[in-house]
Amino acid sequence: MAGRSVRTVRTALTGAVAVAALATGALVSPAVADSGTAGSGDHRATQRAIEAAVRDGVPGVLAQARDRDGTWNGTAGVANLRTGRERLPQDRYRVGSITKTFVATVVLQLEAEGRLSLDDTVDHWLPGVVRGNGHDGRRITLRQLLNHTSGIYNYTDDQAFVEKVFGDGFFQHRYDTWTPRRLVGLAMGHKPYFAPGASWHYSNTNFILAGMVVEKVTGRAYGAEIERRILRPLSLRATSLPGTDARMPRPSGRAYSKLSEDPKAKIHDVTELNPSAAGSAGEMVSDSADLQRFYRALLKGDLLPRKQLREMTATVAMDPKDQDKRYGLGLMQIKTSCGKDVWGHGGGIHGSSSEALTTRDGSHSLAMNFNGDWSGDSWAVVEAEFCG
């Protein structure tokens, strides 16, 4: 749940809670709502919120909600600025840090099988990988990776990486392959934020390491484990882990970014990119139906035994001054303005900002996407859906 700017899109692979974003000139086409779907009359506030995001400058918004009345689809703006093609409910999009919940689920499944412990140190599985400038994998546990209390530096804050991947160097480097070891190495070039367990700080490096642990424990790529353990059992046919493939599967629209902090900067088509720069912290592609199916299944206990689900939903405060925003193991818990708790994750990557959330009982869920990363308030859409 990232704000829309270069700065937040680089952490972006993130999921930190949305804040007010930069206002830009409108790129608006007529809004479209699926009024023929059961329950659609209950989502008028959500439709208004996605239309407001387009007025704020987002090229196009896609939202889908499920509740006891059925499935509702809402769209506004366009999927393609050149052709004017509207966004479609079945469109696939890059989901950024929503990937993290899938990775954490696999780690917890491995714990349930007795193949690892959350109290294992990182160094136990990845000897010598987390070392340097005060980092020490012998003092950091797998649990601390998954709930962002490790203190490990976030590689997407490395300035050279930012310039290559999120800034002026994007077009020169968009097809570069980044190995997990190289990404972790960037983090090791900086000091940690704090001693392990002393505080909370979002770090994509944590989940690059978690993906490496999955591969060390299983002998298979973390993406293959996600596919075997989650995608196939839940029939998530629109969800994929593209690895180094820069193309988007069909159907999908385009993704747009200004690649700049300047609100007057030119809008670029950034759809094609090698997602290895995000890796197990944020490479996944999915659609709104699959994301909701995943989070409902997860929270209802279909993917994890009761013990591991309790571990995942044991949260720590993201900010000690704000107890309404909490983080479990690859999973966020956020209290809305109307007092309703929602669980899930958000994610951003070039030209794509997404949210996927559900109530604890799985009875009401939402997944949505902006196809631009510099404007709009995705949390306003969440509030509209769950609070009306």
Side-chain angles (χ1 to χ4, degrees):
M1 298 165 220
R4 246 56 65 188
S5 70
V6 169
R7 180 181 174 279
T8 51
V9 171
R10 70 174 182 245
T11 55
L13 310 170
T14 86
V17 177
V19 295
L22 296 172
T24 66
L27 296 163
V28 183
S29 74
V32 177
D34 180 356
S35 59
T37 308
S40 62
D42 299 328
H43 306 275
R44 288 171 292 181
T46 312
Q47 181 64 36
R48 289 193 296 269
I50 66 177
E51 291 169 7
V54 172
R55 288 194 299 271
D56 193 39
V58 180
V61 183
L62 183 64
Q64 185 183 89
R66 286 193 59 178
D67 57 22
R68 292 184 175 91
D69 293 323
T71 300
W72 171 83
N73 291 295
T75 67
V78 296
N80 189 313
L81 288 172
R82 182 178 59 83
T83 67
R85 196 268 264 183
E86 296 174 347
R87 301 205 72 179
L88 304 174
Q90 63 269 33
D91 277 350
R92 301 177 187 186
Y93 46 86
R94 299 189 192 277
V95 303
S97 283
I98 292 172
T99 306
K100 290 179 171 68
T101 314
F102 288 79
V103 173
T105 300
V106 171
V107 173
L108 286 160
Q109 288 177 343
L110 292 170
E111 186 198 46
E113 295 164 9
R115 302 176 69 179
L116 58 76
S117 167
L118 292 178
D119 295 322
D120 288 343
T121 66
V122 175
D123 207 68
H124 175 80
W125 292 106
L126 305 173
V129 172
V130 178
R131 203 69 59 84
N133 284 310
H135 291 95
D136 188 349
R138 296 168 297 185
R139 301 174 55 216
I140 298 168
T141 66
L142 301 186
R143 187 191 311 274
Q144 289 167 338
L145 293 182
L146 298 183
N147 68 8
H148 294 298
T149 61
S150 71
I152 295 174
Y153 185 84
N154 182 9
Y155 75 89
T156 59
D157 282 343
D158 178 87
Q159 193 56 43
F161 180 86
V162 169
E163 291 172 1
K164 281 185 178 180
V165 176
F166 299 107
D168 292 341
F170 172 78
F171 293 104
Q172 181 181 354
H173 296 283
R174 70 192 302 173
Y175 300 115
D176 290 1
T177 293
W178 296 79
T179 65
R181 285 276 188 150
R182 185 180 177 192
L183 297 175
V184 173
L186 291 177
M188 296 302 101
H190 301 267
K191 293 182 179 180
Y193 297 115
F194 46 77
S199 187
W200 187 92
H201 194 289
Y202 196 94
S203 175
N204 290 298
T205 315
N206 289 325
F207 276 79
I208 297 295
L209 290 163
M212 294 171 69
V213 169
V214 169
E215 295 187 5
K216 186 67 175 289
V217 173
T218 65
R220 289 181 290 271
Y222 77 89
E225 287 297 300
I226 288 175
E227 183 175 357
R228 183 173 72 88
R229 293 167 173 271
I230 301 174
L231 306 189
R232 290 177 190 168
L234 293 182
S235 297
L236 303 183
R237 297 185 178 91
T239 305
S240 61
L241 292 106
T244 60
D245 190 342
R247 299 165 297 178
M248 281 292 293
R250 296 182 179 179
S252 60
R254 310 302 292 176
Y256 299 98
S257 179
K258 294 191 175 184
L259 300 172
S260 172
E261 297 278 4
D262 182 0
K264 297 180 180 180
K266 180 182 176 181
I267 296 171
H268 302 281
D269 186 322
V270 294
T271 308
E272 288 195 1
L273 57 87
N274 183 332
S276 63
S280 50
E283 71 161 283
M284 187 174 283
V285 172
S286 191
D287 73 359
S288 298
D290 272 14
L291 292 177
Q292 290 178 92
R293 190 177 305 127
F294 166 67
Y295 279 107
R296 289 197 308 270
L298 177 64
L299 271 296
K300 291 169 72 173
D302 295 341
L303 292 172
L304 293 174
R306 187 173 301 176
K307 177 180 182 294
Q308 278 68 38
L309 187 55
R310 282 200 305 268
E311 296 273 15
M312 179 175 253
T313 55
T315 60
V316 295
M318 296 163 62
D319 179 345
K321 298 179 182 178
D322 186 356
Q323 295 298 315
D324 290 342
K325 302 177 182 68
R326 303 183 64 83
Y327 204 95
L329 303 183
L331 186 69
M332 289 182 173
Q333 177 190 17
I334 303 176
K335 188 178 293 294
T336 62
S337 63
C338 58
K340 185 179 295 185
D341 282 338
V342 291
W343 296 78
H345 216 286
I349 194 167
H350 303 71
S352 184
S353 301
S354 307
E355 309 281 355
L357 298 156
T358 182
T359 52
R360 183 64 179 81
D361 62 1
S363 65
H364 187 183
S365 59
L366 169 74
M368 57 152 294
N369 175 259
F370 290 176
N371 64 356
D373 59 25
W374 67 90
S375 65
D377 183 355
S378 60
W379 193 249
V381 181
V382 175
E383 284 280 345
E385 177 60 31
F386 289 101
C387 295

